[in-house]
Amino acid sequence: MSESIIWYLREFLRTEWIRKFLLAKTDPLVTPPYFKDYPTLTGKECTACYQCMMICPAPGAIAVLRHDDGWRPEIYPGHCIRCGLCVEACPEDVLQSGRVLEAQHRDRTGFRATFHLSIDREICMRCGNCCISCPVGREGEPDGAVLKIEKGGVQILNSDLCTGCKTCEVNCPNRGIRVARVVEGVQEAAA
Amino acid sequence: MKKTVDVSIPIGPMHPCWKEPIRLKCETIGERVLRTEVELGYMKKGIERIMRGRPWQEVMFLAERICGICSVIHNMVFIEAMEGISGIAVPPRAAYLRVVVNELDRMESHILANFSYCYTIEHETLAMYLLNVREIVLDQLERITGSRINTAYMIPGGVRFDITEEDAAALLAGLARVEEDVERYTRMFATSYLIALRSRGVGTMTREKAIEAHAVGPTGRASNVPECDLRLQHPTYQKLGFTPVCRTEGDNFARNMVRFDEVMQSISLIRQCIGQLPEGPIRGGGACTAGEITYQGEAPRGELTYYIKSDEYGRIIDITVRTPSIMNIEACTHHMINDVTSVADVTSTFISSDPCVACTER
Amino acid sequence: MSLLQKLKNRVRSKSIHVCFVDVGSCNGCDIEVLACLAPRYDIEQYGIYVHNNPREADILLVMGAVTPQWVDKLVAIWEKIPEPKAAIAIGNCPISGCVYNRRDSYIDPPAAKHIPIAAQVPGCPPRPTEILAAILSLAPTIFENYEEKKR
Amino acid sequence: MTTYLYEKDLRQMKYNILISTRHDLMVREIADRLGVGPNQVRLAMIRRFDMSLLENLPSRYEQGQKMADAGSRVAKELGCELFSRFIPFVEEERMQALCSEVRDMIDTGLPEEEAITTGKRRIREAILQ
């Protein structure tokens, strides 16, 4: 027992403790610069390549929308989980968050992705939601579409145009269309 | 089986001591607890069901959100399992950085567990001390990964961010502060008579019972089962030369002391890692492919098992997760709490096994 | 406004009792609320007390996507809180269901379906400072002139 | 005095636990071993065990396969310790009685196989009752 009391006495008689006790001050409530907050726009031009939508792991967190002066990604707080993957995936540095962009430039890291579309003919009920919702090839040449309803079923026209944005997957009522997004994290060797 | 029972006491699902909902139903004679039944299902979200058919970049976040406290190890085990399936090699620098982040997460989790134990036995001073130390650890975690909890640091073939010289220096400085503080708090915990009254000899579990219920992690190691530490089988830890902490008492006190000792051990492991950190790239690339694997890793609470089956594009076909809390909660409620002499010790014994309901139910 | 009402306003904005309930989150938001207790953030210096007892709470912090087990119990807890009361949704889960809001999961978000939610703190998980700021900014406005508003 | 407030029917949730991949494998193995349908085993489990034990069953079963009944072939065949200590279907005293009964049968001259078959049937009855 005596050891314990002496221990506590010694604990409370340390100069550091006394100083802290008398001059107690809560740490300032600052957000450190390295915190990955919601992605913000850097002001660079978005080319609507949908890489951010492709990699986003949370449902409904990001959408690339068309405004009067061009395309712009929109982040929805309440859905966004602040993982920072969209910042890393964006090839044009449109978004930034914390130190992610800085670290990416420093380490020359990035993601490389390939996409594979597959349609389950047995489940597909040919509603055409996927073709209508697909954001690729909206204007311009009519051949620039990824999907098309033809011969009584969905046909994949140009699978190399697919950006993996999974809009078709989300809009498909019965999971007939699937986009496999094979992503790998890569790093260029230091020059 | 019929037993003469005086009162049946339900504890939970909402209880001041418990941060997560779980319901214990204790059957008591006087104050002595005869047996306990557990009612789960308050956190069942069906994560394994929604994981199916998704690629790694989505499942990684779901795996992380199985448990918010030990999120890094869920991330690490899932990613290493995917690497095992696809045969992706990890650059040595990334492997060491993974260990650094994993050990920081382990420290954070252990300190939180000891905080809740001290809070439950109403030793609020020590509890608040520990919670403040945890903030320093979280700062270091945030410095490296960019977020405090749910860090999403590891990806197949490497890690997401490199560590700079300044970050490493700040990390070591933070660790020095943590070490100094935790050493004092360990001494406070070990020598305090009030804590000893509530902890020593309460909720004991023998080695046989621990093996029978497959208790893992600090709960198992406090009952003298040192071989349950799976870090012994991890290649990077083997390089670092690692011996598990072990105690023989098997009571609440031992479980908390094991966690304190492991925090100190983690600090030395991180120092070793930073000291030996090799130069080189942090990402090696490599796509996930088809395969099947059962992979295990050591979470802060014990052994974590992922069984994964994937298709040719790296999408998950089948996945089963076995988290350490399943074993520990079961061991706790059916072996430790039985014959606890007072109902007040039920909560403290339960908390001492570091239960994580979100893990258990997923 | 009567003097009594002024006094009540003042007292209510300086003494807020908080109860938190986890209705199926991943624990991340839980421990961030706990971290608010730490001397670093020191939630009690603002007069916020965490009791975890709905009978004496003013503000209910709801964390987690609502699991089927909680659908009835969350309402029961909400009804136990004495007036004036408010509920704050902490984290993405009670707002949108976060990453769990997908086909095949057992959850039933948002929490606003079950009880009235006064404010939302998005983030997965939100920082303790964000939680603190939300409670501090909400409490005075929602409890101001409560008796007069009720009439 | 042994009733609780807010009691709820947990069978659906217990069933949800039992249909996950690992549990399903284990249930089928036990069912094969006992020679009954998997649903009967599930029913016995749901009736007897609480939820945390159900969650933990696969690891207990694995531990049981590794550790239980080492040494004695008869006990291994019957699953004496496996079905009483590791997976507590039957109380330990009752299991002891059943096992010693089988040993007595063997001692009195009954062929081993036959005795084990009888013992298995008794254990199955004890589990399913």
Side-chain angles (χ1 to χ4, degrees):
Chain A
M1 193 65 166
S2 59
E3 196 206 359
S4 179
I5 288 172
I6 290 166
W7 163 250
Y8 271 99
L9 276 179
R10 221 190 274 148
E11 173 74 22
F12 294 139
L13 285 178
R14 282 182 306 131
T15 41
E16 193 200 340
W17 195 91
I18 295 174
R19 206 179 59 234
K20 266 191 193 158
F21 183 78
L22 294 176
L23 307 168
K25 205 168 77 180
T26 323
D27 292 338
L29 300 180
V30 287
T31 308
Y34 38 82
F35 172 59
K36 283 187 295 193
D37 210 335
Y38 291 113
T40 49
L41 298 173
T42 52
K44 293 198 178 137
E45 199 183 342
C46 174
T47 56
C49 67
Y50 304 110
Q51 288 287 303
C52 45
M53 281 171 80
M54 179 274 295
I55 206 154
C56 182
I62 192 167
V64 180
L65 299 178
R66 188 179 183 139
H67 294 81
D68 295 336
D69 51 344
W71 295 84
R72 217 180 297 145
E74 199 112 339
I75 311 280
Y76 298 103
H79 292 259
C80 175
I81 57 174
R82 304 199 267 207
C83 63
L85 276 186
C86 48
V87 181
E88 275 192 70
C90 182
E92 311 288 332
D93 299 344
V94 175
L95 295 163
Q96 68 158 10
S97 161
R99 288 199 303 193
V100 178
L101 204 57
E102 189 191 314
Q104 196 191 355
H105 285 304
R106 188 190 62 216
D107 305 337
R108 294 155 180 267
T109 50
F111 287 111
R112 189 168 57 211
T114 51
F115 313 105
H116 308 273
L117 275 171
S118 64
I119 295 161
D120 193 333
R121 302 275 168 204
E122 297 199 346
I123 305 178
C124 176
M125 55 182 196
R126 302 168 188 87
C127 63
N129 275 4
C130 45
C131 311
I132 292 171
S133 63
C134 180
V136 177
R138 263 299 148 74
E139 59 237 80
E141 70 274 40
D143 294 337
V146 180
L147 299 161
K148 198 176 180 187
I149 292 267
E150 237 175 35
K151 300 181 204 127
V154 177
Q155 304 297 330
I156 303 169
L157 295 179
N158 306 304
S159 60
D160 49 328
L161 282 181
C162 179
T163 58
C165 70
K166 71 198 170 189
T167 314
C168 47
E169 220 178 67
V170 171
N171 284 305
C172 182
N174 51 1
R175 284 187 256 196
I177 188 162
R178 304 282 301 278
V179 193
R181 289 158 286 144
V182 183
V183 180
E184 34 187 315
V186 289
Q187 181 174 24
E188 286 170 40
Chain B
M1 49 183 154
K2 275 266 174 277
K3 272 181 183 159
T4 342
V5 172
D6 285 350
V7 191
S8 303
I9 301 175
I11 306 179
M14 207 179 154
H15 188 276
C17 289
W18 294 353
K19 311 307 168 215
E20 302 153 272
I22 187 172
R23 191 155 176 239
L24 295 191
K25 297 186 270 190
C26 306
E27 309 204 334
T28 56
I29 290 185
E31 278 248 35
R32 211 163 67 85
V33 179
L34 269 186
R35 64 195 187 107
T36 323
E37 253 184 52
V38 186
E39 191 182 312
L40 297 168
Y42 294 95
M43 307 271 271
K44 186 96 181 168
K45 299 176 283 268
I47 294 183
E48 283 146 317
R49 280 158 62 110
I50 42 182
M51 275 176 178
R52 292 188 185 140
R54 298 185 186 280
W56 67 263
Q57 67 265 27
E58 286 183 20
V59 179
M60 176 176 124
F61 290 93
L62 284 166
E64 205 173 61
R65 277 158 185 74
I66 285 177
C67 175
I69 305 176
C70 41
S71 60
V72 171
I73 187 71
H74 278 276
N75 190 348
M76 179 162 162
V77 170
F78 171 71
I79 293 297
E80 286 187 354
M82 287 310 280
E83 282 167 357
I85 285 178
S86 331
I88 301 172
V90 191
R93 189 178 174 87
Y96 275 84
L97 283 175
R98 282 181 184 184
V99 170
V100 169
V101 174
N102 187 20
E103 288 306 315
L104 277 175
D105 187 61
R106 188 183 312 278
M107 286 165 70
E108 174 255 322
S109 168
H110 279 350
I111 293 175
L112 185 83
N114 283 357
F115 150 79
S116 10
Y117 182 74
C118 293
Y119 203 70
T120 313
I121 61 169
E122 292 287 332
H123 197 301
E124 231 175 289
T125 317
L126 186 50
M128 286 304 157
Y129 278 173
L130 286 171
L131 203 53
N132 220 22
V133 170
R134 182 171 168 270
E135 288 297 316
I136 306 176
V137 182
L138 282 179
D139 275 352
Q140 311 313 319
L141 205 56
E142 192 176 14
R143 190 183 290 276
I144 299 177
T145 66
S147 40
R148 290 159 54 91
I149 294 161
N150 295 343
T151 51
Y153 187 59
M154 296 153 202
I155 55 169
V159 294
R160 279 179 64 191
F161 311 117
D162 204 349
I163 187 168
T164 58
E165 295 281 314
E166 305 96 71
D167 285 351
L171 171 66
L172 290 178
L175 285 183
R177 276 178 70 197
V178 175
E179 187 180 29
E180 190 191 322
D181 284 354
V182 171
E183 214 172 279
R184 277 194 300 123
Y185 304 152
T186 314
R187 182 105 209 266
M188 275 171 82
F189 191 90
T191 54
S192 166
Y193 277 75
L194 291 174
I195 292 177
L197 280 175
R198 283 299 300 273
S199 317
R200 282 190 199 257
V202 175
T204 44
M205 181 168 65
T206 56
R207 186 180 148 90
E208 290 75 54
K209 292 282 181 194
I211 287 175
E212 190 181 299
H214 201 195
V216 286
T219 312
R221 290 196 280 278
S223 298
N224 198 9
V225 195
E227 64 270 20
C228 68
D229 198 323
L230 289 170
R231 281 180 284 177
L232 288 168
Q233 290 159 24
H234 193 280
T236 320
Y237 283 100
Q238 279 170 349
K239 264 185 237 161
L240 292 168
F242 162 82
T243 43
V245 179
C246 185
R247 283 180 91 91
T248 49
E249 299 101 312
D251 52 3
N252 288 358
F253 181 77
R255 284 189 278 279
N256 281 286
M257 285 308 284
V258 165
R259 283 197 286 265
F260 272 126
D261 291 345
E262 285 195 3
V263 169
M264 302 306 281
Q265 191 188 35
S266 294
I267 293 174
S268 71
L269 279 174
I270 295 173
R271 286 209 179 117
Q272 258 179 297
C273 280
I274 296 286
Q276 302 173 8
L277 200 63
E279 289 296 317
I282 51 161
R283 287 189 196 178
C288 294
T289 52
E292 194 176 345
I293 200 172
T294 307
Y295 190 83
Q296 293 182 314
E298 176 76 9
R301 287 168 181 74
E303 164 198 313
L304 174 67
T305 314
Y306 269 68
Y307 163 75
I308 296 176
K309 202 169 156 191
S310 65
D311 70 1
E312 74 263 49
Y313 298 130
R315 286 182 299 200
I316 308 297
I317 298 173
D318 198 357
I319 184 165
T320 316
V321 187
R322 190 172 77 196
T323 56
S325 299
I326 294 174
M327 283 85 96
N328 286 347
I329 286 185
E330 203 273 326
C332 172
T333 47
H334 294 125
H335 297 308
M336 293 178 205
I337 293 184
N338 284 1
D339 287 333
V340 155
T341 45
S342 108
V343 175
D345 285 339
V346 170
T347 46
S348 68
T349 308
F350 186 68
I351 294 289
S352 83
S353 77
D354 198 2
C356 174
V357 184
C359 272
T360 314
E361 302 173 16
R362 305 181 293 281
Chain C
M1 199 199 302
S2 67
L3 195 65
L4 183 67
Q5 187 65 59
K6 269 187 190 152
L7 187 69
K8 275 183 178 169
N9 284 350
R10 190 166 170 71
V11 169
R12 274 183 190 143
S13 67
K14 290 273 183 267
S15 159
I16 307 156
H17 290 231
V18 163
C19 163
F20 61 86
V21 56
D22 183 342
V23 289
S25 80
C26 70
N27 262 350
C29 304
D30 265 356
I31 51 179
E32 288 294 61
V33 170
L34 271 189
C36 289
L37 290 171
R40 159 87 63 95
Y41 301 103
D42 198 9
I43 200 169
E44 299 200 347
Q45 71 178 322
Y46 305 105
I48 305 172
Y49 304 95
V50 178
H51 280 292
N52 224 10
N53 179 357
R55 300 261 186 212
E56 52 181 323
D58 301 313
I59 287 186
L60 180 71
L61 305 183
V62 182
M63 291 163 277
V66 186
T67 51
Q69 272 265 45
W70 273 107
V71 168
D72 50 337
K73 295 186 181 71
L74 182 62
V75 178
I77 286 175
W78 173 247
E79 278 163 1
K80 278 179 188 142
I81 302 178
E83 295 275 349
K85 60 188 173 183
I88 302 182
I90 303 282
N92 280 355
C93 291
I95 301 172
S96 68
C98 199
V99 287
Y100 311 123
N101 191 7
R102 294 199 160 122
R103 280 184 256 198
D104 288 347
S105 71
Y106 295 121
I107 58 163
D108 186 17
K113 249 199 265 182
H114 309 284
I115 58 169
I117 298 283
Q120 296 174 334
V121 189
C124 188
R127 294 176 67 77
T129 44
E130 290 170 346
I131 298 172
L132 259 178
I135 300 176
L136 284 176
S137 64
L138 176 80
T141 53
I142 200 138
F143 298 141
E144 198 179 26
N145 301 337
Y146 168 72
E147 277 79 7
E148 287 182 6
K149 271 191 233 160
K150 202 170 68 177
R151 242 177 266 138
Chain D
M1 285 292 261
T2 49
T3 52
Y4 296 94
L5 291 168
Y6 317 115
E7 210 44 35
K8 205 177 163 182
D9 184 12
L10 300 174
R11 275 176 299 182
Q12 181 57 47
M13 278 180 290
K14 286 182 172 178
Y15 185 72
N16 280 351
I17 293 173
L18 279 181
I19 53 172
S20 85
T21 318
R22 211 174 261 274
H23 286 81
D24 203 49
L25 277 176
M26 175 208 61
V27 165
R28 275 167 208 285
E29 263 175 50
I30 292 178
D32 276 353
R33 187 171 173 162
L34 295 174
V36 291
N39 270 337
Q40 274 175 297
V41 177
R42 283 195 195 114
L43 189 68
M45 284 173 173
I46 287 174
R47 251 207 325 256
R48 245 167 258 219
F49 301 151
D50 69 344
M51 289 176 98
S52 77
L53 191 58
L54 280 180
E55 283 272 16
N56 197 19
L57 274 181
S59 57
R60 268 182 174 254
Y61 183 67
E62 274 166 32
Q63 287 291 90
Q65 300 258 310
K66 237 186 283 169
M67 309 268 182
D69 308 308
S72 161
R73 197 183 80 86
V74 179
K76 187 102 189 164
E77 282 284 314
L78 292 173
C80 279
E81 281 186 345
L82 180 68
F83 289 129
S84 63
R85 272 181 55 208
F86 286 90
I87 302 179
F89 273 124
V90 188
E91 291 110 273
E92 279 184 48
E93 301 93 58
R94 188 156 173 215
M95 198 57 156
Q96 288 294 332
L98 282 169
C99 284
S100 52
E101 224 171 86
V102 173
R103 280 202 200 94
D104 286 348
M105 271 191 253
I106 294 169
D107 286 344
T108 51
L110 208 66
E112 209 173 277
E113 295 304 316
E114 213 169 299
I116 286 175
T117 326
T118 325
K120 272 187 177 169
R121 204 187 60 236
R122 303 285 284 278
I123 288 172
R124 186 167 68 217
E125 277 161 14
I127 288 173
L128 293 182
Q129 75 182 206

